[in-house]
Amino acid sequence: MVQSWVVTLPLMLWMFLSMVLGIHLTSHLVMEFAMVAGAGYVLFGPGLETLRSALISSRNLTPNMDVLIALGTTASLITGFVSLAHMFGWVHSPFYSFAGIAAMIMSFHLTGRYIEAKARGRASDAITKLLTLEAKTARIIKNGLEEEIEVSELKKGDVMIVRPGETIPTDGVVVDGKSSVDESMVTGESMPVVREKGDEVIGGTINSEGSIRVQAKEVGENTFLNKVIRMVEEAQGSKIPIQDFADRVTAIFVPVVLALTAFTFAVWMIFPEGLRPILVWADSFLPWIITDLEPVSQAFFVALAVLVIACPCALGLATPTALMVGTGLGAENGILIRKGEAIQRLEEVTTFVFDKTGTLTKGEPEVTDWVSFTDADELLKKRIAAIENLSEHPLSRAITSYTGIDDLPDVENFESFTGMGVKGEVDGERILAGNKDLLEKFSVALTSEVERESSKLLASGKTTIFLVIGEKVEALCGIKDTLKKETPEVIASLHKKGYKTVMLTGDQEKVAEIISKEIGINEFYAQVKPGEKSDVIRQLQEKGEVVAMVGDGINDAPALTQSDVGIALGTGTDIAIESGSMILIDGNPQAILRAINLSRETFKKIRQNLFWAFFYNLVMLPVAMVGWMHPVLAEIAMALSSINVVGNSRRLQTKNIDESGTK
C-alpha cells in the first residue's frame, strides 16, 4: 500500500494541477510518459499479487473479484499506451488516457485490502489474548532447591511452585497447598474457584491467593491452552453453509459483471448522443462528470466504473469476518467452536437432547440408602467394594467410597457389562452388582422382600443397584445424583425460547420419570445404553427435528457426532476436545444459553453483512452504468463497502451474550 501511494500521490497532484488548475509543469508527452511509467510500476510492483490472483482464477475458470480489478487497471493502462502511440503518429484515432486512473484504482484497492487485513487481525484478538496468557517462566523444585526455568523446558512430572498473583505455567495437578484460581479465561466465569490437593489446574490461569505446588501433567503443544488456540484458529478458518452460498453467488456474480461491463461499453458506443443528455443533466450537481470525451473514451470510462464498482469484495468478507469475531467472543466466554458450521446449525435447532449424568446432574452420585438382607454385612461390603473398585463408572466409585474399605481382597474373572453393571469372583464366589438387566442376564430371582424394598428406592427417584452373592440378592444400594442448581432454570429458559427438550439416561424408568418432572423436561428415554443414544438422536431427526445433543463429551461421543450440533459440556482439562462441534468448558448448563445467544448474534451479523453487500451492488451498478460514477470514486466506494462489513462484524464484540447480565 505504501509503495503504491508513494508513486500514485505525485501522479494525482500532477493531474490535478494540469486538468483542474491548468498549470502544466511539463509537455503533455512527458506527462503521459510519467503516467504510463508510474501506473505500470504500481500495477506490476505492489499490485502484482492482485494480477497474479486474477490470472490463476481465470485459468481455473473460477474468476474471482481480483479479475475485475485486474481487467479495469490493465485496460486503463493500455489506454495510456494507445494515447502515446497517437502522439507519435503510430495510430490515427485519438484516445483519452486513463493510465493515471489505473494507478489510483490499484492504490485504493490495496488500501482497502490493508484496512480489511488490519480489521480482520483485530477481529481475531481472541487468539492474541490466548497467546499472551502463557507464562514465560516456571519455578520448579530440582534436587530440593528452587530453580527458575523457561516454560519450554518443563517436563511432565516437574513440580512447580506457584505463588499468589502468578500465572500457572502449564496444566497440572495440585500436590500441596490450597488456593483460589481465576479461571475466567477458560470458563468465562468471573468468580475464582478453590483448588486444593488432587485438583487439576490449567496453564495460563491465575493463582489468586495462597501458594500451591503443581505437578506438570501436560506440556508444550498438548496443553489445554494450546489446544484451545488451535481449535479457535481452525474454526475461524472454516466455512459454514451460508458461506458456500455466498461463494457460489460470487462465482456467478463476476461473469455477470463482465457481461454487464461489455453490454455497457457496447450501448455507450452505439448510442453516445442519445445517452449524453444524462451526463449533461448530472454535470450540474456531480463535479466528477466528464462530458467532452470521444465516444470510445466515454464508453470505456463508463464501463470501467461498472467493472470496479461491482467488485464483490464485501460479499467475500461478510461471513468469515463475523465468524472470526463470533468464535473469538465465544472463546472469551468459555464457548469453543470446533466447527464453524455449528454457529449456523445451532440457530436452526428445534430440540435439545441432554445426557443426564454430568450434564443435568453434578455427575457425582452418592449412596443414600443401603438395605442389607444378610447378617454378614461387613463381609458383603468388602467383597462388593473389591469388584466395584475395578470399574471407573461413577456409580461404582460412589459405592466404593461409601464402603470406606481400603484393604480389599483379590478379584478374579472381572467383567463389566455396559449399561448393566459388573461381575467378578471373590474368595471363589460370584459377585454381581448392577441393575435388573444384569440380574436377568444371569437368571437371578428376586424375593418379594427385595422387590418391595427396591420399589421404595425407585419411587423416591434413586438409582437402585442389586448386590448379589452367588445366586441371592444380599443387599440393595440406593444412589442419587444431585441436580445442578442451574438445571431447572436452563430447561425453563429453553422452553420459553420455543425449544423442545429430551433427556437420555441409563437409569430405571421410575428414576428418569421423577427427575424429568423435577426439572420440567418435555420427554425422556430411560435405560438407554451409551451405544443406543445415537439411535434416539437419529429417530428424532427422522421426525424432522434439528437436534442439538448436550453431553459430557466422553461416553456420549457417538450421539454427539450423530446430532446436528454436538455440544460437549466439560470442566477444565477433563474436556473431550474432539467430541462436539461446540464445547462449553464450564460444566454449568447456563453456558448453553450463552451459546444460543452467541449463535443468534453471530448469524444476525452474517445476514446483515450479506444484505448490505448485495444492496450496495444492486444500488451502485445502475448508477455506474448511466455514467454517473467516476472509476476512482467507484473503487473508494467498493473499499468502503468492505470496511463497513468488517466494522459491522467487529461490533459483535460489544454484544452481551450472558442472560445474567454480564458479558
Side-chain angles (χ1 to χ4, degrees), residues 139-150:
R139 197 179 294 106
I140 67 168
I141 301 171
K142 195 171 183 180
N143 300 323
L145 300 172
E146 283 188 29
E147 182 181 334
E148 191 165 336
I149 62 170
E150 296 289 322

Side-chain angles (χ1 to χ4, degrees), residues 153-464:
E153 296 174 23
L154 273 174
K155 296 182 179 63
K156 281 187 182 182
D158 283 347
V159 176
M160 306 169 286
I161 298 175
V162 188
R163 297 195 172 99
E166 292 182 345
T167 299
I168 296 172
T170 194
D171 300 350
V173 179
V174 178
V175 293
D176 187 36
K178 181 178 179 180
S179 179
S180 293
V181 178
D182 178 3
E183 295 185 347
S184 58
M185 73 90 178
V186 171
T187 63
E189 298 294 333
S190 56
M191 293 298 292
V193 290
V194 175
R195 294 288 182 245
E196 54 191 340
K197 187 175 180 179
D199 291 335
E200 293 187 349
V201 290
I202 302 168
T205 55
I206 308 297
N207 180 25
S208 300
E209 58 182 25
S211 183
I212 52 175
R213 294 193 178 195
V214 178
Q215 186 172 42
K217 184 179 177 183
E218 296 289 353
V219 294
E221 289 298 308
N222 294 321
T223 64
F224 178 77
L225 189 59
N226 277 306
K227 286 178 181 176
V228 169
I229 290 168
R230 280 201 304 275
M231 285 176 59
V232 176
E233 285 176 334
E234 287 167 8
Q236 290 184 343
S238 65
K239 283 191 177 183
I240 65 177
I242 200 169
Q243 172 69 37
D244 291 331
F245 165 73
D247 288 346
R248 288 197 301 272
V249 169
T250 302
I252 297 168
F253 196 70
V254 173
V256 168
V257 170
L258 293 175
L260 282 175
T261 303
F263 171 76
T264 302
F265 182 81
V267 169
W268 277 87
M269 280 291 291
I270 298 168
F271 307 107
E273 295 306 318
L275 294 170
R276 192 174 295 277
I278 299 174
L279 295 180
V280 174
W281 177 77
D283 188 39
S284 61
F285 56 89
L286 296 177
W288 55 82
I289 295 289
I290 303 174
T291 59
D292 58 350
L293 294 175
E294 293 292 322
V296 177
S297 296
Q298 187 66 63
F300 182 86
F301 186 82
V302 176
L304 180 59
V306 171
L307 198 62
V308 174
I309 198 73
C311 184
C313 294
L315 275 177
L317 291 168
T319 300
T321 51
L323 183 62
M324 191 172 288
V325 177
T327 51
L329 180 62
E332 292 172 12
N333 285 271
I335 303 165
L336 300 182
I337 313 296
R338 184 166 165 262
K339 297 176 183 175
E341 66 184 70
I343 286 279
Q344 181 171 344
R345 292 299 280 163
L346 186 57
E347 227 241 341
E348 300 165 356
V349 163
T350 58
T351 300
F352 275 87
V353 177
F354 294 88
D355 170 53
K356 178 181 74 73
T357 305
T359 303
L360 299 173
T361 65
K362 291 180 179 178
E364 298 171 0
E366 296 178 353
V367 174
T368 57
D369 297 82
W370 184 279
V371 182
S372 180
F373 307 109
T374 176
D375 295 331
D377 194 49
E378 286 306 310
L379 178 61
L380 169 67
K381 285 181 179 178
K382 196 168 189 177
R383 290 176 171 179
I384 293 297
I387 68 163
E388 293 286 22
N389 190 52
L390 298 178
S391 171
E392 289 298 316
H393 195 282
L395 296 182
S396 296
R397 289 199 297 270
I399 293 171
T400 305
S401 176
Y402 174 77
T403 62
I405 300 171
D406 295 322
D407 183 22
L408 299 174
D410 293 332
V411 177
E412 295 179 339
N413 302 321
F414 175 82
E415 283 185 81
S416 177
F417 301 92
T418 303
M420 291 189 280
V422 293
K423 177 188 83 75
E425 291 180 14
V426 178
D427 299 331
E429 287 202 83
R430 186 184 73 181
I431 312 290
L432 299 176
N435 57 25
K436 279 189 176 181
D437 289 344
L438 187 70
L439 302 191
E440 288 176 10
K441 182 177 178 67
F442 288 94
S443 304
V444 177
L446 300 180
T447 64
S448 57
E449 184 183 14
V450 171
E451 287 273 22
R452 186 174 60 253
E453 292 298 328
S454 64
S455 296
K456 286 181 186 177
L457 292 175
L458 284 170
S460 61
K462 293 166 185 174
T463 300
T464 304

Side-chain angles (χ1 to χ4, degrees), residues 539-557:
Q539 289 167 18
L540 291 168
Q541 289 170 328
E542 288 170 357
K543 293 177 184 176
E545 303 288 348
V546 180
V547 181
M549 169 68 190
V550 187
D552 63 12
I554 301 168
N555 61 354
D556 297 314

